[in-house]
Amino acid sequence: FEDQKVEAVYQHYIHLKNALVNGDAKEAQSGAAALQTAFTDAGNTKGADLAGKIASVTDVKAQRGELEALTAEAENVIRASKVKTGTIYKQYCPMANNDQGAYWLSGESEIRNPYFGDEMLECGETKEEIK
């Protein structure tokens, strides 16, 4: 990214997403706390508040429940900046949120579902590439 604050939001979001894929609530808390700081530095209080919610809970299911709203805020921040290199994949699981469906962002095209982790690791599809 051209903006280092946006780069920090993205990197910490990916850290959190990967922790949720792995079902690691403690690591998700750590990633969410760092993401909260990154959102604050980027001037996004809504994103910081959402990340703070995830950082404050120890249950991975509760953490996953906040991911969709957090993803929307991360996407807003990311789209406001120019991606210098690489591709961000906007991925979607139709079964997340009680079959309402939900998105997440990834740095790889391979599906690794943060809403279900090991239960349905490859459930989902790439809907968009952000470059």
Side-chain angles (χ1 to χ4, degrees), residues 5-21:
K5 291 177 181 175
V6 175
E7 177 74 26
V9 167
Y10 176 70
Q11 292 301 328
H12 293 302
Y13 172 88
I14 293 298
H15 175 194
L16 168 61
K17 188 263 309 176
N18 288 340
L20 293 176
V21 167

Side-chain angles (χ1 to χ4, degrees), residues 3-78:
D3 184 333
Q4 290 305 305
K5 291 177 181 175
V6 175
E7 177 74 26
V9 167
Y10 176 70
Q11 292 301 328
H12 293 302
Y13 172 88
I14 293 298
H15 175 194
L16 168 61
K17 188 263 309 176
N18 288 340
L20 293 176
V21 167
N22 295 327
D24 187 339
K26 187 173 174 112
E27 193 61 35
Q29 282 185 296
S30 172
L35 181 56
Q36 183 177 18
T37 300
F39 268 124
T40 299
D41 291 347
N44 186 311
T45 53
K46 184 175 180 184
D49 289 346
L50 290 165
K53 278 186 184 179
I54 294 174
S56 70
V57 296
T58 57
D59 178 65
V60 74
K61 287 194 187 307
Q63 291 170 332
R64 288 172 171 160
E66 299 294 333
L67 184 62
E68 183 179 24
L70 184 71
T71 296
E73 283 307 304
E75 184 178 353
N76 288 339
V77 169
I78 287 165

